[in-house]
Amino acid sequence: MSAATPLLSLRGLRKQYGGHDGAPATEVLRGVSLDIAAGEFVAIVGSSGSGKSTLMHLLGCLDRPTSGTYHVAGRDVAALGADELAWLRREAFGFVFQGYHLIATESARENVEIPALYAGTPAPERESRATALLERLGLGQRLDHRPGQLSGGQQQRVSIARALMNGGRIILADEPTGALDSHSSAEVMQLLVELADAGHTVILITHDRDIAARARRVIEIRDGQIIADTGTAPVSEAARRATHAWPPLFGARGHGGDRFTGLAGDLREALRAAWRVLWINPFRTGLTLLGIIIGVASVIVMLAAGSGSQFQVMKKMAVFGANKMYVAATPVTSRDRTGPLSLADVETMRELPNVEVAMPYLEGFVISRRGNVDHRTEVGGVTTDFEVALDWPLAEGVFFDAEDERTLAKVAIIGKRVRTALFEDGTDPVGQTILLDSVPFQVIGVLAEKGALAGNADEDDRVVVPYSTASARLFGTPYPTWVAVAIRRLQQARQTENAIIDAMAVQRGQRDVRVYNRAESIRASAETERTMTMMLGLIAAISLLVGGIGVMNVMLMTVRERTREIGIRMATGARQRDILRQFMTEAVVVSVIGGVAGMVGGVLVAVALRLAGIPAILSLTAIVGAFGCAVATGLVFGYMPARNAARLDPVQALNSD
Ligand code: ADP
Ligand code: MG
């Protein structure tokens, strides 16, 4: 900028309100042309409604003209984007309003710090500068007072300090004394005169000619046009020197350049502000939090209860083996030439896809005897596949092997009930001899107890022996009573069942086998349980959604209530994204606090359920997932209100009440 370039230059500036949506068009400024040089002290005087404030908003880049051009330090303002305008407001202008426009919830010093906050000045520098400014303006004792605790004159001095925070190269004061008593009014005027003498460019807007007379140049405006201008007055040498000490406005750093203070500092500042806002209306904040807490906690509890009952069902089923099916032959009518299943049928089943083992089971009843004790029990002729086929391990001893099967060995493995009946005296059964229908067998093992888990003690009333032995020595039949099939993949239980039926139909010439498909019924009930859990989770998720809507509702209210605050922040240099971030932070802080409390609450309730004997299984995935959903809900539902806030028009926001 050369010395000849005016600091502010207006040409044919017009501003029209309305003219669309049915509102009558009114032209408030009707071609204002004006040059203001750096260091001038100008008063713009005119009666109420003449367009002074409108002009000031245009000068301060809070609003854009309908037509005409405006250059600041030689730059056409029309070419600047929203962020660059924010930068210009922050770096070049300091506003002083009739109504002070301080943020009610922040202390005097914090109010003064705001422009530096958006300029990215580090906190210690910010604080010391704000303190120094307030002390200079005689408010050293009021640093931590809220605006409501200060007199009008004091508030106006705070707002002057704020205007000076980033330098205040151009002070725009709109009726700064309008709301003050004569004493405070004189003080404020004295301050403005001193600032002008110190080299600041001061533009004072007033309807009061006496006040205007304190300026070095007086411009009179009426009905949106300049009707008189005293012209640039000679300035003292000291003032001139002070003015030229300013660095060029559009210097090497370029406009729109921001100082980078690091994310951590920004975040801390945003969190501090959000935290404070939450405390302005603790009751409302509490209700919002409650919505999120209930949502998060119910997701956790519902999923825990769901997977708890799912687990119980699975556990019960697993006792019999989740991957089992049982095959038996059933005569359809008495005329059918159907026979029992044969060992060849078992071989065929064993070869089918997805079949892990197919084991024949030859069932019969015998009188078992040891010494003078009799006990009627079931005998099962089985193969060495027994343990896999029926998921039934040994408690003691060993199982018979292939050699025993081949030699029709008289060895037996007894169930728990048989052991209790025959070995009451506490003798170790392994190695002892018992009689099965008068045939002596050597006990080589004891089966693990199954009844306690299965809920059916008869499971344990059983003796198992090699299939060949049962067939030849006990029952005299080669045919299995039924066949136990263990499958590999539970998901294909139904296909395997059909494959068995089809294969048997081909081999036997008719469809006469029945499959009791435990695997399929387990798969189906597991599916049902899973669906139930999902449903419960879904219902809980809906309550989380409702919590999110609560956040949005409160955010919309806050934005509305704080519209003027947003306007003040914009006038002091906040960019749209600063406003967006501020409100998003508030939404996220609420959701995070609610989410954490909800996690704690949900875990406590789930633990209480367990103590009360209701199955509940907490999963980390559900807990973290619920928390994540809460935060995501806050982000999603906070975004719309925050964006509304960021898009507000600075002048409209400032003038709202
Ligand atoms: P002053 O500050 O000189 O009293 P203003 O610049 O505030 O005057 O207003 C000038 C005229 O513009 C007034 O008649 C006012 O009603 C009108 N005006 C100001 N702002 C708006 C607006 N946003 N929409 C419509 N008319 C407006
Ligand atoms: Mg006005």
Side-chain angles (χ1 to χ4, degrees):
M1 180 174 80
S2 79
T5 314
L7 180 58
L8 307 178
S9 173
L10 285 60
R11 286 294 172 272
L13 215 62
R14 291 175 178 271
K15 179 70 186 177
Q16 179 178 316
Y17 289 113
H20 48 81
D21 299 335
T26 39
E27 190 156 60
V28 177
L29 292 183
R30 301 187 292 146
V32 174
S33 298
L34 175 67
D35 284 330
I36 296 176
E40 278 199 281
F41 182 9
V42 185
I44 295 174
V45 70
S47 57
S48 176
S50 55
K52 306 183 296 295
S53 293
T54 305
L55 179 58
M56 189 200 82
H57 293 148
L58 294 179
L59 286 172
C61 300
L62 288 170
D63 206 354
R64 290 180 186 274
T66 313
S67 65
T69 59
Y70 176 32
H71 288 78
V72 175
R75 295 287 175 110
D76 188 353
V77 165
L80 301 181
D83 281 359
E84 292 165 318
L85 289 178
W87 176 85
L88 198 56
R89 287 197 289 266
R90 203 156 63 221
E91 296 296 322
F93 296 103
F95 295 93
V96 180
F97 299 97
Q98 177 173 5
Y100 327 127
H101 284 344
L102 298 174
I103 295 173
T105 51
E106 310 253 326
S107 71
R109 190 175 56 198
E110 285 160 346
N111 266 288
V112 174
E113 281 183 35
I114 290 173
L117 192 70
Y118 294 124
T121 312
E125 194 181 322
R126 226 159 57 205
E127 271 172 42
S128 60
R129 179 161 168 78
T131 308
L133 279 169
L134 285 168
E135 278 167 355
R136 202 172 101 200
L137 299 186
L139 290 168
Q141 305 302 311
R142 301 284 188 275
L143 297 177
D144 295 319
H145 284 53
R146 297 271 169 89
Q149 299 163 323
L150 298 173
S151 75
Q154 288 169 332
Q155 289 187 62
Q156 197 58 298
R157 277 183 279 156
V158 172
S159 88
I160 291 172
R162 181 180 62 192
L164 295 172
M165 187 64 192
N166 284 350
R169 187 187 292 249
I170 305 159
I171 303 284
L172 289 168
D174 189 357
E175 308 268 12
T177 59
L180 300 179
D181 59 72
S182 56
H183 176 71
S184 305
S185 184
E187 268 181 5
V188 165
M189 279 315 298
Q190 186 53 40
L191 267 172
L192 292 178
V193 170
E194 284 168 17
L195 289 175
D197 288 342
H200 295 264
T201 306
V202 178
I203 300 171
L204 167 68
I205 281 166
T206 179
H207 65 276
D208 185 330
R209 286 174 186 285
D210 295 338
I211 286 181
R214 303 281 309 264
R216 292 196 286 260
R217 174 182 174 189
V218 179
I219 295 167
E220 191 168 352
I221 180 171
R222 182 186 296 163
D223 293 335
Q225 281 175 316
I226 294 176
I227 54 163
D229 186 347
T230 59
T232 309
V235 179
S236 76
E237 190 51 37
R240 196 194 314 281
R241 244 182 281 118
T243 301
H244 287 292
W246 287 101
L249 183 53
F250 294 99
R253 225 178 351 126
H255 58 257
D258 294 313
R259 247 191 288 179
F260 185 69
T261 48
L263 263 171
D266 276 6
L267 194 65
R268 203 169 47 236
E269 195 54 50
L271 289 177
R272 187 197 62 81
W275 180 253
R276 175 170 305 181
V277 166
L278 297 185
W279 282 101
I280 293 172
N281 197 334
F283 186 66
R284 189 166 77 186
T285 304
L287 286 180
T288 318
L289 282 177
L290 200 61
I292 298 170
I293 292 171
I294 291 175
V296 171
S298 59
V299 167
I300 292 172
V301 171
M302 296 283 197
L303 289 180
S307 43
S309 78
Q310 193 175 338
F311 178 75
Q312 279 220 324
V313 170
M314 293 303 281
K315 195 172 76 180
K316 210 160 197 167
M317 301 271 190
V319 171
F320 295 99
N323 60 336
K324 305 291 179 273
M325 50 184 84
Y326 305 100
V327 186
T330 41
V332 180
T333 70
S334 52
R335 276 181 301 145
D336 284 338
R337 48 165 193 83
T338 182
L341 289 166
S342 69
L343 289 177
D345 294 339
V346 180
E347 272 316 306
T348 305
M349 287 184 220
R350 195 171 284 150
E351 300 307 318
L352 292 173
N354 196 34
V355 170
E356 189 178 5
V357 296
M359 184 195 75
Y361 190 103
L362 175 52
E363 181 184 302
F365 287 86
V366 300
I367 302 295
S368 65
R369 165 172 294 174
R370 174 172 173 258
N372 54 3
V373 186
D374 279 358
H375 176 71
R376 188 183 140 80
T377 188
E378 179 187 322
V379 165
V382 300
T383 70
T384 48
D385 286 332
F386 177 82
E387 186 168 347
V388 179
L390 293 179
D391 260 344
W392 203 338
L394 289 182
E396 293 168 37
V398 293
F399 211 81
F400 56 78
D401 56 20
E403 177 67 7
D404 294 324
E405 261 191 271
R406 203 175 55 74
T407 59
L408 280 62
K410 291 180 282 184
V411 290
I413 293 125
I414 62 174
K416 176 80 189 311
R417 275 281 286 274
V418 177
R419 178 201 180 140
T420 319
L422 300 186
F423 296 90
E424 249 181 334
D425 54 359
T427 315
D428 180 3
V430 177
Q432 302 293 316
T433 301
I434 59 170
L435 299 177
L436 299 178
D437 275 355
S438 308
V439 181
F441 276 78
Q442 192 191 9
V443 177
I444 57 169
V446 180
L447 290 172
E449 184 173 2
K450 192 159 235 196
L453 287 168
N456 176 9
D458 285 350
E459 292 286 327
D460 294 312
D461 195 357
R462 174 189 324 250
V463 176
V464 299
V465 301
Y467 191 90
S468 53
T469 313
S471 165
R473 298 191 191 270
L474 290 176
F475 306 125
T477 168
Y479 302 116
T481 319
W482 45 270
V483 178
V485 175
I487 60 170
R488 293 200 176 86
R489 286 173 301 277
L490 192 57
Q491 288 308 316
Q492 291 164 16
R494 181 63 76 195
Q495 289 97 302
T496 309
E497 175 187 339
N498 293 334
I500 290 173
I501 291 172
D502 292 345
M504 290 302 102
V506 170
Q507 181 149 332
R508 297 163 61 82
Q510 62 190 51
R511 292 189 165 264
D512 64 349
V513 300
R514 188 167 50 90
V515 176
Y516 174 43
N517 195 342
R518 178 172 286 281
E520 173 60 17
S521 60
I522 286 181
R523 195 194 62 75
S525 62
E527 197 100 296
T528 313
E529 282 293 326
R530 213 165 18 241
T531 314
M532 275 289 288
T533 308
M534 297 282 282
M535 286 291 290
L536 288 176
L538 196 69
I539 292 169
I542 289 173
S543 71
L544 193 55
L545 193 72
V546 172
I549 294 172
V551 173
M552 174 145 87
N553 196 10
V554 165
M555 290 293 299
L556 285 171
M557 276 201 303
T558 340
V559 169
R560 176 162 301 187
E561 281 168 13
R562 288 157 61 201
T563 305
R564 204 159 63 94
E565 175 193 324
I566 296 164
I568 295 169
R569 290 183 182 278
M570 287 175 162
T572 53
R575 288 155 299 190
Q576 292 190 334
R577 77 178 107 113
D578 293 318
I579 303 291
L580 183 73
R581 187 176 54 193
Q582 181 192 343
F583 283 88
M584 286 301 280
T585 308
E586 286 173 24
V588 169
V589 164
V590 173
S591 338
V592 167
I593 294 175
V596 168
M599 284 199 293
V600 173
V603 169
L604 288 180
V605 172
V607 168
L609 283 181
R610 285 187 79 119
L611 292 180
I614 299 166
I617 297 174
L618 282 166
S619 85
L620 193 64
T621 320
I623 296 173
V624 173
F627 177 75
C629 285
V631 176
T633 318
L635 279 172
V636 169
F637 287 98
Y639 180 72
M640 204 259 273
R643 197 200 49 189
N644 287 355
R647 290 200 182 158
L648 282 172
D649 174 60
V651 174
Q652 273 174 17
L654 261 183
N655 290 339
S656 76
D657 39 24

